[in-house]
Coordinates of all heavy atoms in Angstrom, one line a residue:
N108 N 116.5 77.4 98.0 CA 117.1 77.2 99.4 C 118.1 78.4 99.8 O 118.9 78.2 100.7 CB 117.8 75.9 99.5 CG 117.4 75.2 100.8 OD1 116.3 75.4 101.3 ND2 118.2 74.2 101.2
V109 N 118.0 79.5 99.1 CA 118.8 80.6 99.5 C 118.0 81.5 100.4 O 118.5 82.0 101.5 CB 119.3 81.5 98.2 CG1 119.9 82.7 98.6 CG2 120.2 80.6 97.4
L110 N 116.8 81.8 100.1 CA 115.9 82.7 100.9 C 114.6 82.0 101.2 O 113.9 81.6 100.2 CB 115.7 84.0 100.2 CG 114.8 85.0 100.9 CD1 115.4 85.5 102.2 CD2 114.6 86.2 100.0
W111 N 114.2 81.9 102.4 CA 112.9 81.4 102.8 C 112.1 82.5 103.4 O 112.6 83.3 104.3 CB 113.0 80.3 103.8 CG 113.5 79.0 103.3 CD1 113.9 78.7 102.0 CD2 113.6 77.8 104.0 NE1 114.3 77.4 101.9 CE2 114.1 76.8 103.1 CE3 113.3 77.4 105.3 CZ2 114.3 75.5 103.5 CZ3 113.6 76.1 105.7 CH2 114.1 75.1 104.8
Q112 N 110.9 82.7 103.1 CA 110.0 83.7 103.6 C 109.1 83.0 104.6 O 108.4 82.0 104.3 CB 109.1 84.3 102.5 CG 110.0 85.0 101.5 CD 109.1 85.6 100.4 OE1 107.9 85.7 100.5 NE2 109.7 85.9 99.3
M113 N 109.0 83.5 105.9 CA 108.2 82.9 106.9 C 107.3 83.9 107.5 O 107.6 85.0 107.7 CB 109.2 82.4 108.1 CG 110.3 81.5 107.7 SD 111.3 81.1 109.1 CE 112.6 80.2 108.2
D114 N 106.0 83.4 107.7 CA 105.0 84.3 108.2 C 103.8 83.5 108.7 O 103.6 82.4 108.3 CB 104.6 85.3 107.1 CG 103.9 86.6 107.7 OD1 103.8 86.7 109.0 OD2 103.4 87.4 106.9
F115 N 103.0 84.2 109.5 CA 101.7 83.7 109.9 C 100.7 84.4 109.0 O 100.8 85.6 108.8 CB 101.3 84.0 111.3 CG 101.9 83.0 112.3 CD1 103.1 83.3 112.9 CD2 101.3 81.7 112.5 CE1 103.7 82.4 113.8 CE2 101.9 80.8 113.3 CZ 103.1 81.1 114.0
K116 N 99.7 83.7 108.4 CA 98.8 84.3 107.5 C 97.5 84.6 108.3 O 96.4 84.0 108.0 CB 98.5 83.4 106.3 CG 99.7 83.1 105.5 CD 100.3 84.4 104.9 CE 101.5 84.1 104.1 NZ 102.2 85.3 103.7
G117 N 97.5 85.4 109.2 CA 96.3 85.8 110.0 C 95.9 84.6 110.9 O 96.7 83.7 111.2
H118 N 94.7 84.7 111.4 CA 94.1 83.6 112.2 C 92.6 83.6 112.1 O 92.0 84.6 111.7 CB 94.6 83.7 113.7 CG 94.3 85.1 114.2 ND1 93.2 85.5 114.8 CD2 95.2 86.2 114.3 CE1 93.2 86.7 115.2 NE2 94.4 87.2 114.9
F119 N 92.0 82.5 112.4 CA 90.5 82.4 112.3 C 90.0 81.5 113.4 O 90.8 80.7 113.9 CB 90.1 82.0 110.9 CG 90.8 80.7 110.4 CD1 90.2 79.5 110.6 CD2 92.0 80.8 109.7 CE1 90.7 78.3 110.2 CE2 92.5 79.6 109.3 CZ 91.9 78.4 109.5
S120 N 88.7 81.6 113.7 CA 88.1 80.8 114.7 C 87.8 79.4 114.3 O 87.5 79.1 113.1 CB 86.8 81.4 115.1 OG 87.0 82.7 115.7
L121 N 87.9 78.5 115.2 CA 87.5 77.1 115.0 C 86.5 76.8 116.2 O 86.3 77.6 117.1 CB 88.7 76.2 115.1 CG 89.8 76.3 114.0 CD1 91.0 75.4 114.3 CD2 89.2 75.9 112.7
L122 N 86.0 75.6 116.2 CA 85.1 75.2 117.3 C 85.8 75.2 118.6 O 85.2 75.6 119.6 CB 84.5 73.8 117.0 CG 83.5 73.7 115.8 CD1 83.1 72.2 115.6 CD2 82.3 74.5 116.1
H123 N 87.1 74.8 118.6 CA 87.8 74.8 119.9 C 89.1 75.6 119.8 O 90.2 75.1 119.7 CB 88.2 73.3 120.2 CG 87.0 72.4 120.3 ND1 86.1 72.4 121.3 CD2 86.6 71.4 119.4 CE1 85.2 71.5 121.1 NE2 85.4 70.9 120.0
G124 N 88.9 76.9 119.8 CA 90.1 77.8 119.7 C 90.2 78.5 118.4 O 89.3 78.7 117.6
R125 N 91.5 78.9 118.1 CA 91.8 79.6 116.9 C 92.9 78.9 116.1 O 93.7 78.1 116.7 CB 92.3 81.0 117.2 CG 91.3 81.8 118.0 CD 91.5 83.3 118.0 NE 91.4 84.0 116.7 CZ 90.2 84.3 116.1 NH1 89.1 83.9 116.7 NH2 90.2 84.9 115.0
C126 N 92.9 79.1 114.8 CA 93.9 78.5 113.9 C 94.8 79.6 113.4 O 94.3 80.6 112.9 CB 93.3 77.8 112.8 SG 94.5 77.1 111.6
H127 N 96.1 79.4 113.6 CA 97.2 80.4 113.1 C 98.0 79.7 112.0 O 98.9 78.9 112.3 CB 98.0 80.8 114.2 CG 97.3 81.5 115.4 ND1 97.2 82.8 115.5 CD2 96.6 80.9 116.4 CE1 96.5 83.1 116.6 NE2 96.1 82.0 117.1
P128 N 97.7 79.9 110.7 CA 98.5 79.2 109.7 C 99.9 79.7 109.5 O 100.1 80.9 109.2 CB 97.7 79.5 108.4 CG 96.4 80.1 108.8 CD 96.6 80.7 110.2
L129 N 100.9 78.8 109.8 CA 102.3 79.2 109.6 C 102.7 78.7 108.2 O 102.5 77.6 107.8 CB 103.1 78.4 110.7 CG 104.6 78.5 110.5 CD1 105.1 79.9 110.7 CD2 105.3 77.5 111.5
T130 N 103.3 79.7 107.5 CA 103.8 79.3 106.1 C 105.3 79.6 106.0 O 105.8 80.6 106.6 CB 103.1 80.2 105.1 OG1 103.4 81.6 105.3 CG2 101.6 79.9 105.1
V131 N 106.0 78.7 105.3 CA 107.4 78.9 105.0 C 107.5 78.7 103.5 O 107.1 77.6 103.0 CB 108.3 78.0 105.7 CG1 109.8 78.2 105.3 CG2 108.2 78.2 107.2
L132 N 108.0 79.7 102.7 CA 108.0 79.6 101.3 C 109.4 79.8 100.8 O 110.1 80.7 101.2 CB 107.0 80.7 100.7 CG 106.8 80.8 99.3 CD1 105.9 79.7 98.8 CD2 106.2 82.1 98.9
D133 N 109.8 79.0 99.8 CA 111.1 79.2 99.2 C 110.9 80.3 98.1 O 110.1 80.2 97.3 CB 111.6 77.9 98.5 CG 112.9 78.1 97.8 OD1 114.0 78.2 98.5 OD2 112.9 78.3 96.6
D134 N 111.8 81.3 98.2 CA 111.6 82.5 97.4 C 111.8 82.2 95.9 O 111.1 82.7 95.0 CB 112.5 83.6 97.8 CG 112.3 84.9 97.0 OD1 111.2 85.5 97.2 OD2 113.1 85.2 96.2
C135 N 112.8 81.4 95.6 CA 113.0 81.1 94.1 C 112.0 80.2 93.5 O 111.4 80.6 92.5 CB 114.4 80.5 94.0 SG 114.8 80.0 92.3
S136 N 111.7 79.1 94.1 CA 110.8 78.1 93.5 C 109.3 78.4 93.8 O 108.5 77.8 93.2 CB 111.2 76.7 94.0 OG 110.9 76.6 95.4
R137 N 109.1 79.2 94.9 CA 107.7 79.5 95.4 C 107.1 78.3 96.0 O 105.9 78.2 96.1 CB 106.8 80.1 94.3 CG 107.4 81.2 93.5 CD 108.0 82.4 94.3 NE 106.9 83.2 94.9 CZ 107.2 84.0 95.9 NH1 108.4 84.2 96.3 NH2 106.2 84.7 96.4
F138 N 107.9 77.3 96.3 CA 107.4 76.0 96.9 C 107.1 76.3 98.4 O 107.9 76.8 99.1 CB 108.5 74.9 96.7 CG 108.1 73.6 97.3 CD1 107.2 72.8 96.8 CD2 108.8 73.2 98.5 CE1 106.8 71.6 97.3 CE2 108.4 71.9 99.0 CZ 107.5 71.2 98.4
A139 N 105.9 75.7 98.8 CA 105.5 75.9 100.2 C 106.2 74.8 101.0 O 105.8 73.6 100.9 CB 104.0 75.7 100.3

Side-chain angles (χ1 to χ4, degrees):
N108 229 23
V109 172
L110 176 65
W111 287 4
Q112 300 176 17
M113 304 177 188
D114 199 5
F115 280 98
K116 299 299 181 190
H118 51 86
F119 53 90
S120 294
L121 296 173
L122 290 176
H123 302 288
R125 300 197 70 73
C126 177
H127 301 262
L129 170 65
T130 62
V131 178
L132 185 74
D133 180 74
D134 185 70
C135 177
S136 66
R137 313 308 288 167
F138 178 71

